[in-house]
Each structure stands twice: as structure tokens, then as C-alpha cells.
Amino acid sequence: MDQLNIAKKFSSSRFDFWSSRFYQRIKQYKRKDVQYCNYVRRFLEGNLFSLIMISTISFNAVCMVLQTYYDLRYHFFFVFEVLEILFNAVYYFEFCIKFYVDLMKYWKNGYNILDVIIIIILWLPQYLRKNFRREYGYINIAEGIQAFRILKLIPYSRGIKTLISALGQTICTVASVLVLLFLLMFIFAILGFCLYGTSEEADMENWGNLAVAFFTLFSLTTVDGWTDLQGVLDERGYMWSRAFTIIFILVGSFVFLSMFIAVMIIHTEDSIKKFTKVLSTERQLALIEDKQRILKKQQEEINALMQREKGKTYKSFSDLVRVFKKSLNHTDPMVLEDFCATLSFIDIYLSSLDNQDNTVLRLQELYYEMVNVLNQMIEDKPMKKPSVTSEMSADI
């Protein structure tokens, strides 16, 4: 026994040693095609690839609908087969490039695992036709589950991803509600079996055993055809059956299902609020990027101006700006700083220019009025009378 324990410890230590070395080598491994990998990643994250995949999946769904009509499937069998090959090629290509971009992180994304499952579903009918040609039932099932490929639209729709995340957040709460509903149905199933399934006038079709009683209670929970079920009990003379049915419908349908819907609504609203917040953040980042691009362009124009005026001598930067202002035309763009690039500032600036123009026009009008008044005053001024000495001299 001691030798066996020593051997186990030795083997486990060697396994830990080699596994740690293998992990370190993988961790230290650096790809040599980083630039090309980044280019492929940008292509995957771009709008063009999303548009291609959404169009392919949508057109594939339309083709699947058309194949449900026998005449179309019979007359265009070759066309559908060629399209199926093209669709599968696109899905395989998507899987290959995603797996190429992130070899290790690929399996950490749940949507990538969904893609792998869909790839297996795509491959399944071909495998069954090749190895089980006589098992037509299995082939029909494999062809039927091809409809799951429409789920590939989920990663390319942010709205659907928001709803999926809301469903994921409600799993624990919904599971608790379903467990409580199952316990309630179990109690009422046993009670219904004892009351309506064991007597001489028993309703064996609806309460004959526990499985049938569960199905009957499920119908009562959905409030589907409960009047027919209650009518059967009334015909068999069960006096208190109406109280039993009404109590279960109130508790099962209006309480538990309402709780289920309320939980879904609450988590969906939270997910929508988070999604709206993320969209607003992305819009702000896009505006900041636009502002940075505009500022960069303005800085390049200033640098080009400095290079053109490099041979000339100026006393200060203000002198350079003064000369630059003289060279500007009315249609030239304004060089703005970070604060000046906002729309509110531009609005205020244009309003100030309008007020300035109005003020200058008013001052000009006042100036012309003053000139007119002075002119009238000069014209209305009386002539100066000659003096007495001047008249005497004139007589002499």
C-alpha cells in the first residue's frame, strides 16, 4: 500500500509538472501573424461581414420555407441543393475565421458554442444519408432540426442579444417559480386523483392516474378548455369540484403565471435600460472621435501654415495670427479649439455675430442721422450782420 501511494504521488507530481510546463508554453506563445489576425478581426467586427451573414441567414430561411412546398421542391431540386452547399460553405467559412482569430478565447463565448452546435447539425443529414440510408425517420428528424440555423442571427442582432441576456438573468427566479408551480400541481394532482379518479363514477380520462391528472392541471393552468373539464365533473355529480377548479385556476394561473410574467418584464426593462445606456455611451464616444478628427485636421492645417510661413520672421505668435487673419476670406473654415467644436458654442457664436451685425447697422444709421442733423443745423444758421465801423468806412 505504501508503494502504491508513493507511485500515485509520483505520477500526480509528474502530471502537474508537465501540465504546468505545457500551460507556460501556451502562455508564452506569440503568434507571428498578429497584423493579419488584426485585419481579419476588424473584418469580422465590421458592418460588411454582419450584412453578409444576416443576408445569408435570411435568404436561407426563405429557401427553407419554399422547400416545404412539394411542387417547388420537386421542380427546383437542383437549385436548392446548390444553394444549400453555398449556405454551408458560408457557415463553415465563418467558423474557420472566428476560430483562426481567437484559438483559445473562442470557446469562452457562448454564441461561438452555438455556432459549433449548428455546424454539427448541418453535418448530421449528410452523415445519416451516407451510413443509414434505410433509416428515413432519423433523416427526417435531422432535416427538421436544420431550422435551428436561424439562431445564427442572434449574435448579429443587439436587440435579440439584449432579450437573451434578460432571459439568462431570470433563470434562477423563473426556476424557483416553476418549482413552486410544480409543487402546487403535485398537491392538486394527488388531491384530484383521490377525489375524482378512484370512485365508481370516476373521470378516468382526466383524473385516472397521476400523469393524466398533471396534464389536466396543466390545461387548467393555461385556462384552455377548463369549462369542458368542469362540465364532465358536473355531469358525474361531484358537488365541490367547482371550488377545486376555481381555487387551482386562481392560484396556478393568476398568481404563478403573473409572477412569471412580472419577473420577465422587470428583467427585460433592466436589460433595455442597460442597452440604451450602452448606445448613448457609444454615441458620445463617436462624437468625441469626430471632434478629435476635426481637431487633428485643424492642427494639420495650422502646421501646414507654419511650414509655409517658416521663412518669414515674426516678433511673436500673435503677429503670425494677425497676418493669418488678414489672409482669411469669408468662406474659409474657422480654426476652433476643443471647446469651440461643440454645436452649442457654434450656435452662440453665430448669434453673437448676428447681434454684432445688427449693432453695427444701427450705429451706421445713428451716424447718418447725426450727419443729417448737423447738415440741417449748418443750413439753418443765420447770416452775420455787418458792424457800424464797416458801414462808416463804406460811406467815406
Side-chain angles (χ1 to χ4, degrees):
M1 293 295 293
D2 295 335
Q3 292 180 355
L4 182 60
N5 293 330
I6 293 171
K8 287 182 178 180
K9 290 181 180 179
F10 179 73
S11 61
S12 62
S13 62
R14 286 181 62 85
F15 177 76
D16 294 337
F17 173 73
W18 288 109
S19 61
S20 62
R21 287 194 61 182
F22 179 73
Y23 177 74
Q24 290 296 330
R25 285 192 175 185
I26 292 176
K27 191 175 181 181
Q28 294 176 359
Y29 175 74
K30 294 182 179 180
R31 302 183 63 166
K32 297 180 180 180
D33 55 345
V34 177
Q35 186 175 0
Y36 182 73
C37 184
N38 292 331
Y39 174 76
V40 177
R41 183 181 288 108
R42 288 195 299 270
F43 173 71
L44 283 174
E45 296 174 355
N47 295 326
L48 178 60
F49 182 76
S50 299
L51 180 62
I52 292 173
M53 292 305 302
I54 291 173
S55 302
T56 302
I57 298 168
S58 302
F59 187 56
N60 192 4
V62 172
C63 291
M64 292 176 65
V65 172
L66 294 177
Q67 290 184 41
T68 57
Y69 295 94
Y70 179 78
D71 294 336
L72 293 175
R73 187 172 184 177
Y74 178 76
H75 290 92
F76 298 98
F77 177 79
F78 180 74
V79 176
F80 287 133
E81 289 294 325
V82 173
L83 290 175
E84 184 70 18
I85 294 173
L86 293 177
F87 293 145
N88 293 340
V90 173
Y91 298 148
Y92 291 143
F93 174 73
E94 179 198 15
F95 167 75
C96 292
I97 58 176
K98 283 186 177 181
F99 189 75
Y100 167 76
V101 169
D102 290 320
L103 299 176
M104 301 302 297
K105 296 181 181 179
Y106 179 84
W107 305 103
K108 295 181 180 180
N109 191 347
Y111 295 110
N112 292 336
I113 297 175
L114 177 63
D115 290 339
V116 173
I117 295 173
I118 292 174
I119 290 295
I120 296 172
I121 291 174
L122 295 176
W123 172 77
L124 191 59
Q126 301 176 1
Y127 175 79
L128 292 177
R129 289 192 189 98
K130 185 177 180 180
N131 296 281
F132 303 97
R133 295 182 179 178
R134 297 181 180 178
E135 301 292 334
Y136 295 103
Y138 295 105
I139 293 176
N140 292 332
I141 294 173
E143 290 179 351
I145 62 176
Q146 297 298 310
F148 282 99
R149 67 180 68 185
I150 197 68
L151 296 178
K152 290 179 69 66
L153 281 174
I154 294 176
Y156 300 101
S157 176
R158 301 186 65 178
I160 299 177
K161 289 174 68 175
T162 303
L163 294 177
I164 294 297
S165 62
L167 288 174
Q169 294 174 2
T170 59
I171 288 176
C172 296
T173 307
V174 170
S176 302
V177 174
L178 292 178
V179 169
L180 288 175
L181 182 61
F182 174 77
L183 295 177
L184 177 70
M185 291 178 66
F186 181 80
I187 294 171
F188 274 83
I190 297 295
L191 185 60
F193 171 75
C194 296
L195 292 176
Y196 313 123
T198 56
S199 61
E200 295 180 356
E201 299 178 353
D203 185 6
M204 302 300 294
E205 294 182 358
N206 297 318
W207 304 96
N209 53 54
L210 192 62
V212 174
F214 261 102
F215 186 78
T216 303
L217 291 175
F218 180 78
S219 300
L220 293 177
T221 304
T222 58
V223 198
D224 182 20
W226 70 274
T227 54
D228 297 334
L229 296 173
Q230 182 59 41
V232 174
L233 295 178
D234 291 338
E235 290 177 358
R236 296 178 183 275
Y238 293 105
M239 300 297 298
W240 298 99
S241 61
R242 295 186 177 183
F244 175 86
T245 304
I246 292 172
I247 291 173
F248 181 78
I249 290 176
L250 289 175
V251 177
S253 179
F254 295 110
V255 176
F256 285 97
L257 292 182
S258 300
M259 288 174 58
F260 179 81
I261 295 171
V263 169
M264 292 294 299
I265 291 173
I266 291 172
H267 286 279
T268 304
E269 288 180 352
D270 293 338
S271 299
I272 291 173
K273 289 180 180 178
K274 292 179 181 179
F275 179 65
T276 306
K277 187 175 180 181
V278 170
L279 287 181
S280 62
T281 304
E282 290 180 355
R283 292 193 188 98
Q284 292 178 0
L285 291 176
L287 290 175
I288 292 173
E289 290 178 357
D290 293 338
K291 288 174 59 177
Q292 294 296 329
R293 186 172 61 255
I294 294 171
L295 291 175
K296 185 178 179 181
K297 183 179 179 181
Q298 294 171 357
Q299 291 174 0
E300 291 176 355
E301 292 176 355
I302 292 294
N303 292 330
L305 175 65
M306 294 290 290
Q307 293 294 329
R308 288 197 304 268
E309 303 293 334
K310 191 174 183 180
K312 301 179 182 180
T313 57
Y314 298 97
K315 296 180 180 180
S316 63
F317 182 75
S318 300
D319 192 10
L320 173 63
V321 173
R322 195 178 300 111
V323 175
F324 175 67
K325 287 181 178 179
K326 293 179 181 179
S327 65
L328 286 176
N329 297 322
H330 182 68
T331 58
D332 290 336
M334 183 183 298
V335 180
L336 302 175
E337 296 180 357
D338 189 11
F339 173 72
C340 301
T342 59
L343 295 176
S344 58
F345 178 82
I346 294 173
D347 189 12
I348 295 171
Y349 178 76
L350 294 177
S351 301
S352 302
L353 288 180
D354 293 337
N355 293 329
Q356 183 179 357
D357 294 338
N358 294 329
T359 304
V360 172
L361 180 62
R362 184 59 181 167
L363 288 174
Q364 290 178 353
E365 292 176 354
L366 291 175
Y367 172 75
Y368 290 132
E369 289 179 0
M370 291 174 63
V371 171
N372 188 19
V373 171
L374 291 174
N375 189 20
Q376 291 179 0
M377 290 176 65
I378 292 172
E379 290 178 356
D380 296 340
K381 185 178 180 181
M383 297 296 292
K384 188 177 181 181
K385 294 181 179 181
S387 60
V388 178
T389 58
S390 62
E391 290 179 356
M392 291 175 64
S393 63
D395 294 337
I396 294 172

